[in-house]
Amino acid sequence: MNKKIQSALISVFYKDGLENIVQLLADNGVTIYSTGGTQTFIKKLGLSVVPVEDLTTYPSILGGRVKTLHPSVFGGILGKRDDAQHVAEMKQYSIPEIDLVIVDLYPFEETVASTTDEKAIIEKIDIGGPSMIRGAAKNHKDVVVIANKRDYYLLEQILKEQNGETTLEQRRMFA
């Protein structure tokens, strides 16, 4: 069961290696949603990006602790495309389907290794990232999840060779 990627949510701490993927997504007409530094990175490439705040209608709040924790994001990730109730509710609440999630985690271990500042350490405990990764993995029937930059090359090859489509086996492997 092949699925064409039509929308992506990208929110990463480490942006190295992301440029080619973002360009390929843009070349394929994929709507890209993003947050903070990743959004700025994509804009600097001269590519179109939709701020997650436009999707959620909420700004990043509580010092950046809450950006993606919202039904418009998680509904778009978790909504089953073949479930009439899910589809109807997504339409009712204007929740777009999110077909690709590229998220990595805050550098918690690096922070712990480099400082004893408890406040800095606590702020590197990621909440939204693991939740989005788990949500996308749970719904891998419809969603591709990339949780590590080591998988960028394989995703890039799939985007090139399969014109932005993924197979169920590929989505399962990434999940």
Side-chain angles (χ1 to χ4, degrees), residues 10-16 35 38 67-69 74 101-111 121-135 145-150 152:
I10 307 173
S11 182
V12 295
F13 189 85
Y14 300 104
K15 289 147 190 77
D16 50 307
T35 61
T38 307
K67 295 183 276 265
T68 58
L69 296 169
F74 282 89
V101 173
I102 302 176
V103 176
D104 63 10
L105 305 179
Y106 294 153
F108 181 75
E109 291 160 346
E110 292 172 22
T111 303
I121 292 169
I122 287 172
E123 289 310 312
K124 291 298 186 246
I125 298 173
D126 202 326
I127 306 301
S131 298
M132 287 188 287
I133 291 166
R134 286 177 175 233
V145 59
I146 304 296
N148 193 303
K149 63 184 176 180
R150 291 184 310 240
Y152 288 0

